[in-house]
Amino acid sequence: MGMRALFGLLLAAGLTLAASVAHAHPHVWITATSELVYAPDGSITGVRHAWTFDDMFSAYAVQGLESKTKGAYTREELAPLAQTNVESLKEYAYFTFARADGKKERFNEPVDYFLDYKDAVLTLHFTLPLKNPVKAKQLVLEVFDRSYFIDFQMAKDNPVKLVGAPAGCQMKLDRPSDGSATAQKLNEQTFLNGENSNFGMMFANKITVDCP
């Protein structure tokens, strides 16, 4: 079951505080950290994400999962859910968009993915390998949901790391302004209409890496 299907059930179950909340965007909140991974020759090979879901989504997602210890879940116990999450993300291009020197780059399917559960929240870890590792003077990576169903916020501390990047590479993170106030005013139908189907772009987290 995809994340959106999960949330559809959650909303249908009437767990939302009020009907108006059901129409507000976003529905899921994610706190993210990202690592850009470089090969010894200076080419970027992929992105390693860690996405921590909000407590409401986390509580819903683990409902009915069997675990040896009540209220705790091992990586093994969460493995089927991790696989479901990763498979459902494919349809949305993993909410991760890269351009190297202006050219759009594509990713292979995620590897090394797993979920962990700590302090009552789930964190999804996964690595997105670039289809073609690339050396770029400028790499731009954006993380966002076009439909703004999911709100991505980069973590306050150490949101982005460069792993093995060549000396002299400079990284800059542009955080989006808070879009939830604007989104509250638009109902579900607005988001399904063409003109707002890319609404989430306004709230993209933009990572720019400039290398000498």
Side-chain angles (χ1 to χ4, degrees), residues 7 19 22 51 55 77 88 95 100 117 131-132 141 143 197 199:
F7 247 73
W51 291 352
D55 49 5
E77 287 163 346
S88 68
F95 303 117
Y117 185 80
K131 280 200 166 156
N132 303 299
L141 188 81
V143 178
S197 58
F199 186 83

Side-chain angles (χ1 to χ4, degrees), residues 38 41-44 99-103 105 130 132-140 166 169-170 209-212:
Y38 289 79
D41 71 351
S43 57
I44 181 162
R99 291 192 310 279
D101 294 331
K103 179 178 167 282
E105 297 295 330
L130 275 171
N132 303 299
V134 62
K135 280 185 183 177
K137 284 214 175 304
Q138 184 177 75
L139 181 89
V140 176
C169 287
Q170 300 284 321
V209 184
D210 288 298
C211 290

